[in-house]
């Protein structure tokens, strides 16, 4: 069925992406060692990048690899090593009663529901079915141009806001990670020589 | 216009206010003068009003002071109705009050609450006069409650004594039970006649069906039994003897206890509508007279004998009202006021001379020590026993004659009671004044001293009134008699039956015989003994066990109900409900509190489950 | 025929579910963060898929911004983890349960 309707290369690419993604995701949640989890996350992110590529999101695929896999996961690894939790043990027993079962049940039902919604609703059948299948994206101006146009014209405000957000994040991280300095005892020295600051 | 009439009421009120405001500065003498003077002037005003009324062709004068309140169709003025009945009441109330005020200035001398005593006394006189002079039932009710409250204060005057405090409470509670009757009567009357003015009600009696009239009459009877100490609400009166003797004389002999009879007499046009109501009244009166007389024969305390004697005599008055002899009832009321006040004040003098002794077994032989008290008391004794020519013979005879005309069995009861009256009063007289001086065993050194002039003068005056009081209503003086004077008030009521002179003479002889039997019996029995078990039956002494019956029927069950209410209902039902509500809120809060575990993962799980629900709902909608 | 939209969406949904399960189940704060990244990526995939089908570049723009925010979030979040770890020497979130009723 698959082979008859769809082009084989596309299917293969999709299958590969799927494999990477799912194995990576499962690895993240199942592996005990945080470093292994981080590496598994990289694998997943690579799969997501491939999926982006096949959907005409070239720039995003690149950003995914550079920023996500390259910077964020590296940050994760850095913190893991810094804190030294790669060697710590985790007990296998779940202390909270019923957490795993309820979580599994909730997640499975939600996912199934989402899939059902996707399958049965007009997401697939209606508007989406009538779409051009990304023809504009594929054949229009280059992906970077299109994306740049969008970011710097339609979504300019959001762009500026994210700039501010990043600064806040950097400042926050510095403040949070700073060690407390010991309080200096300078009251006795400065009483006589203290100057009035304007 | 008889504009003097409001002054009769206002003067005692002014006395009250003056003593209240300046009592401390006036001192004992000043307080006594102000209080007695206020009531004395009130008496003068009453006499003046009486004279004006005599010359007034219209025998019903209404003087309106101001409108108290008006609610929809109910219009209640503060107004005074001056008619023969109210003037008669005013005259003897103010007159006797003046004498008793005078007496009290000496009797209560040296008491630390002297000023308070006269405050209450003046307020009482004001309330009584309001009751009597009011032209509508609401104002009468004000006076009614006023005398009840003053009675409570005065009975429990020595309030640090348990017995006095509970006696005052008892008096007030019994009065209150009776008041329900008056209220019910007012409600019924207003519903049917739409007015509470006496004159208005009397002109609208046609609007009362026989059933309603009977209900009104029975309700009024209940009120009267409460205030005038009749069966079934009489046991408060003997206990009320805990108050000072002048209080007993004024309130519980001459004035407050007659308020019930006054009310019934005032409402005579309504009584005329219900023969069954009147019969009930008569039976209650007759029974009370008899029962109280039997109880009086077995009492040891001199004041208790007089108290039950009062109940008995008022029983006669109620009996007279029941058979329609309103004039006779008022005549007996007036003469009873004279001789009962005399007897009480005389007993006060005796008690005062013995330094507070009230038990007759420890008296005796006082005749030679009390040269003024003894003869006046003797006159009082003869009067109440029904010995001619004193006032008691005429007034009691008048009542019994009228009763004979309407109801023979009750007449027999009345005559038997007269025998008992003569008997127990003679017993009292003998034990107190004659025989050995048994008081010597208690007061070894002091001789009893006669009371001061201020106390003996009222005795003399009252004795004089008892002697000539009969002239008020002699059976043959139809033009110049109390009944004739009062007749406009009862003008539209069937007049009392006029009997033949022979019958009247015959009945008079029966009365004299009854008195003689009583006297003779008493002298025979009590000449030598002081206590006699056969003639002082414990059953009578225990008030026919009436108090015990009330205690068992009402007192203890109600106390149990109170216990149940406080322990079961209060604690387990109400408190449990309220605290249970609070407790359940608290407990549910504590349960919900456990949801806040502080664990992030549980919160995340809750969110996921919430999303699950939403997704399921959406899927359901799509399907 | 290109790969139908629904396949990508299903893949994204499954990825999201795995990420959610991981957040709920793992106790270490760092692993939880990684699972959150998984979920974010699932959302990114969905957006890109729709951008493709609806021929709207706005979907990709959104992904762009999501990535920016994810980066900022990780930065601050890991800063918090480091600060907490200094006090407790443990990254288990179960121990951070003082705000309880």
């Amino acid at each position: 069925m698959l082979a008859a309707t769809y082009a084989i290369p596309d299917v293969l690419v999709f299958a590969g992406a799927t494999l990477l993604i799912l194995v990576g995701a499962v690895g993240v949640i199942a592996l005990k060692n945080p470093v292994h989890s981080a590496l598994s996350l990289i694998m997943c992110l690579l799969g997501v990048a491939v999926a982006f590529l096949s959907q005409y999101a070239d720039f995003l695929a690149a950003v995914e690899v550079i920023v996500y896999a390259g910077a964020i996961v590296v940050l994760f690894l850095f913190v893991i090593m810094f804190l030294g939790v790669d060697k710590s043990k985790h007990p296998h027993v779940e202390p909270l009663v019923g957490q795993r079962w309820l979580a599994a049940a909730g997640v499975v039902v939600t996912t199934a529901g989402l899939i059902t919604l996707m399958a049965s609703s007009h997401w697939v059948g209606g508007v989406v079915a009538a779409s051009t299948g990304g023809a504009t994206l594929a054949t229009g101006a280059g992906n970077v141009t299109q994306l740049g146009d969008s970011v710097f014209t339609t979504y300019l405000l959001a762009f500026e806001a994210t700039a501010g957000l990043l600064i806040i994040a950097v400042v926050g991280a510095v403040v949070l990670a700073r060690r407390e300095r010991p309080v200096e005892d300078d009251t006795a020295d400065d009483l006589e020589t203290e100057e009035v600051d304007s | 216009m008889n504009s003097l009439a409001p002054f009769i009421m206002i003067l005692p009120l002014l006395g009250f206010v003056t003593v209240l405001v300046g009592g401390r500065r006036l001192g004992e003498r000043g307080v006594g003068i102000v209080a007695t003077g206020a009531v004395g002037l009130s008496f003068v005003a009453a006499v003046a009003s009486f004279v004006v009324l005599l010359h007034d062709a219209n025998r019903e004068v209404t003087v309106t002071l101001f409108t108290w309140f008006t609610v929809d169709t109910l219009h209640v003025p503060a107004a005074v109705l001056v008619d023969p009945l109210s003037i008669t009441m005013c005259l003897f109330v103010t007159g006797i009050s003046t004498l008793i005020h005078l007496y009290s200035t000496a009797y209560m001398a040296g008491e630390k609450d002297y000023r308070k005593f006269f405050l209450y006394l003046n307020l009482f006189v004001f309330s009584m006069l309001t009751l009597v002079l009011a032209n509508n039932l609401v104002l009468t009710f004000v006076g009614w409650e006023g005398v009840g409250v003053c009675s409570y204060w005065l009975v429990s005057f020595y309030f640090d004594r348990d017995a006095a405090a509970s006696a005052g409470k008892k008096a007030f509670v019994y009065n209150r039970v009776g008041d329900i009757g008056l209220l019910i009567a007012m409600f019924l009357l207003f519903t049917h006649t739409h007015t509470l003015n006496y004159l208005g009600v009397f002109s609208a009696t046609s609007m009362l069906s026989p059933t309603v009239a009977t209900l009104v009459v029975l309700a009024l009877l209940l009120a009267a039994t409460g205030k005038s100490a009749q069966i079934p609400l009489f046991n408060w009166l003997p206990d009320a003897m805990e108050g000072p003797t002048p209080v007993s004389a004024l309130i519980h002999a001459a004035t407050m206890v007659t308020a019930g009879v006054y009310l019934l007499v005032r409402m005579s046009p309504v009584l005329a509508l219900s023969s069954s109501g009147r019969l009930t009244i008569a039976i209650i009166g007759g029974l009370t007279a008899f029962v109280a007389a039997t109880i009086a024969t077995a009492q040891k305390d001199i004041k208790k004998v007089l108290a039950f004697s009062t109940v008995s005599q008022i029983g006669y008055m109620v009996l007279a009202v029941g058979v329609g002899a309103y004039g006779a009832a008022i005549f007996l009321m007036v003469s009873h006021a004279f001789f009962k006040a005399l007897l009480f004040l005389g007993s006060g003098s005796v008690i005062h001379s013995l330094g507070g002794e009230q038990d007759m077994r420890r008296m005796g032989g006082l005749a030679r020590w009390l040269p003024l008290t003894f003869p006046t008391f003797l006159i009082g004794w003869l009067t109440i026993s029904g010995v001619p020519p004193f006032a008691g013979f005429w007034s009691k005879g008048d009542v019994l004659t009228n009763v004979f005309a309407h109801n023979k069995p009750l007449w027999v009861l009345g005559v038997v009671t007269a025998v008992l009256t003569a008997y127990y009063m003679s017993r009292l007289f003998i034990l107190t004044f004659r025989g050995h001086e048994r008081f010597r065993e208690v007061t070894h050194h002091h001789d009893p001293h006669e009371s001061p002039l201020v106390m003996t003068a009222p005795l003399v005056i009252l004795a004089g009134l008892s002697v000539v009081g009969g002239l008020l209503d002699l059976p043959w003086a139809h033009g110049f008699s109390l009944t004739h004077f009062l007749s406009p008030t009862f003008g539209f009521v069937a007049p009392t039956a006029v009997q033949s002179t022979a019958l009247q003479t015959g009945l008079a002889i029966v009365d004299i015989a009854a008195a003689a039997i009583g006297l003779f019996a008493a002298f025979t029995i009590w000449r030598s003994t002081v206590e006699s078990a056969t003639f002082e039956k414990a059953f009578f002494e225990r008030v026919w066990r009436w108090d015990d019956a009330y205690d068992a029927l009402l007192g203890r069950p109600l106390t149990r109900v109170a216990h149940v209410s406080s322990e079961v209902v209060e604690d387990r039902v109400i408190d449990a409900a309220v605290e249970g509500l609070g407790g359940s809120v608290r407990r549910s809060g504590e349960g919900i509190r456990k949801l806040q575990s502080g664990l992030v993962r549980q919160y995340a799980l809750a969110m996921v489950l919430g999303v699950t629900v939403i997704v399921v709902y959406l899927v359901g909608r799509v399907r | 025929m290109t790969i139908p939209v629904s396949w990508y969406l299903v893949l994204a949904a499954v990825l999201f579910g795995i990420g959610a399960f991981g957040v709920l189940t793992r106790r270490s704060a760092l692993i939880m963060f990684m699972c959150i990244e998984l979920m974010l990526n699932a959302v990114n995939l969905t957006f890109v898929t729709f951008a493709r089908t609806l021929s709207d570049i706005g979907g990709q723009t959104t992904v762009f911004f999501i990535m920016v925010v994810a980066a900022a979030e990780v930065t601050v979040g890991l800063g918090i983890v480091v600060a907490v770890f200094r006090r407790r020497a443990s990254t288990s979130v179960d121990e951070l349960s003082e705000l309880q009723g």
Side-chain angles (χ1 to χ4, degrees), chain B residues 34-369:
Chain B
V34 168
T36 314
V39 183
L41 285 174
S42 180
F43 175 65
V44 169
V47 169
S49 296
F50 169 66
V51 168
V52 170
L53 189 70
L54 271 182
H55 293 293
D56 196 340
N58 175 18
R59 284 305 178 87
E60 276 167 2
V61 179
T62 308
V63 180
T64 311
L65 294 168
F66 56 89
T67 307
W68 185 14
F69 64 87
T70 309
V71 178
D72 206 24
T73 49
L74 176 62
H75 175 68
V76 178
V80 161
L81 175 64
V82 180
D83 75 350
L85 177 60
S86 60
I87 283 294
T88 311
M89 299 289 298
C90 283
L91 279 171
F92 86 80
V93 165
T94 51
I96 299 207
S97 300
T98 313
L99 291 172
I100 293 180
H101 271 76
L102 189 62
Y103 181 93
S104 310
T105 53
Y107 190 83
M108 301 294 286
E111 290 268 352
K112 69 171 170 59
D113 283 325
Y114 191 83
R115 172 177 155 267
K116 202 162 59 154
F117 183 79
F118 280 96
L119 267 179
Y120 291 151
L121 267 190
N122 265 16
L123 189 65
F124 170 81
V125 175
F126 165 70
S127 305
M128 185 71 199
L129 291 170
T130 309
L131 196 162
V132 163
L133 281 171
N135 89 327
N136 59 74
L137 273 166
V138 181
L139 202 57
T140 301
F141 189 65
V142 170
W144 190 271
E145 292 297 318
V147 297
V149 121
C150 290
S151 161
Y152 163 71
W153 276 327
L154 285 164
V155 167
S156 52
F157 188 71
Y158 301 120
F159 55 80
D160 39 7
R161 274 221 317 258
D162 258 349
S166 58
K169 205 171 27 159
K170 187 172 179 177
F172 194 70
V173 171
Y174 275 84
N175 265 257
R176 260 342 223 144
V177 174
D179 293 346
I180 297 171
L182 186 49
L183 283 170
I184 292 176
M186 288 206 295
F187 297 156
L188 282 169
L189 281 172
F190 184 69
T191 313
H192 289 90
T193 62
H194 303 292
T195 174
L196 286 175
N197 283 334
Y198 287 128
L199 297 176
V201 170
F202 298 158
S203 58
T205 49
S206 50
M207 299 217 217
L208 297 169
S209 68
T211 335
V212 173
T214 310
L215 282 173
V216 171
V217 169
L218 289 176
L220 289 171
L221 177 61
L222 179 65
T225 57
K227 197 61 90 182
S228 298
Q230 300 294 292
I231 290 173
L233 297 173
F234 69 96
N235 356 14
W236 64 268
L237 189 56
D239 283 46
M241 297 297 115
E242 293 286 338
T245 309
V247 168
S248 309
L250 179 62
I251 297 183
H252 304 124
T255 43
M256 184 177 106
V257 292
T258 56
V261 180
Y262 164 77
L263 181 72
L264 288 174
V265 170
R266 173 60 82 195
M267 301 298 288
S268 53
V270 178
L271 261 66
L273 297 171
S274 164
S275 57
S276 46
R278 286 202 306 275
L279 182 62
T280 316
I281 295 176
I283 293 174
I284 296 266
L287 271 179
T288 310
F290 174 68
V291 169
T294 57
I295 299 172
T297 60
Q299 296 300 314
K300 313 264 191 307
D301 183 325
I302 188 174
K303 282 176 71 173
K304 288 247 165 57
V305 176
L306 293 174
F308 283 108
S309 165
T310 305
V311 175
S312 178
Q313 297 298 305
I314 297 179
Y316 271 120
M317 294 179 219
V318 174
L319 173 59
V321 167
V323 299
Y326 304 115
I330 299 292
F331 181 34
L332 180 56
M333 188 195 290
V334 174
S335 54
H336 174 261
F338 296 152
F339 61 71
K340 196 43 72 62
L342 168 63
L343 287 169
F344 264 112
L345 293 182
S347 72
S349 183
V350 166
I351 295 168
H352 186 86
S353 73
L354 288 179
E357 180 60 66
Q358 290 185 214
D359 191 328
M360 293 191 291
R361 290 173 289 186
R362 289 199 279 274
M363 296 185 187
L366 285 168
R368 58 185 260 255
W369 296 106

Side-chain angles (χ1 to χ4, degrees), chain C residues 32-78:
Chain C
M32 283 174 82
F33 257 112
M34 288 192 230
C35 297
I36 290 174
E37 296 307 319
L38 286 180
M39 293 204 288
L40 284 169
N41 274 287
V43 171
N44 287 347
L45 187 55
T46 311
F47 268 113
V48 165
T49 309
F50 275 110
R52 176 191 31 122
T53 55
L54 300 174
S55 289
D56 185 3
I57 198 69
Q60 295 191 6
T61 318
T62 311
V63 173
F64 178 78
F65 288 124
I66 291 175
M67 286 191 194
V68 169
V69 173
E73 168 215 347
V74 168
T75 310
V76 176
L78 289 178

Side-chain angles (χ1 to χ4, degrees), chain A residues 94-96 99 102-103 106-107 109-110 113-114 116-117 120, chain B residues 599 601-602 605 608-609 611-613 615-616 618-619 622-623:
Chain A
E94 169 68 67
L96 299 174
Q99 176 87 354
L102 278 173
V107 163
V109 170
T110 308
L114 284 172
T116 318
L117 283 172
S120 63
Chain B
L599 294 167
R601 294 198 291 138
Q602 276 191 337
L605 180 61
V608 165
L609 291 175
V611 170
T612 311
V613 169
V615 165
V616 167
L618 286 172
V619 169
V622 163
R623 287 247 175 253

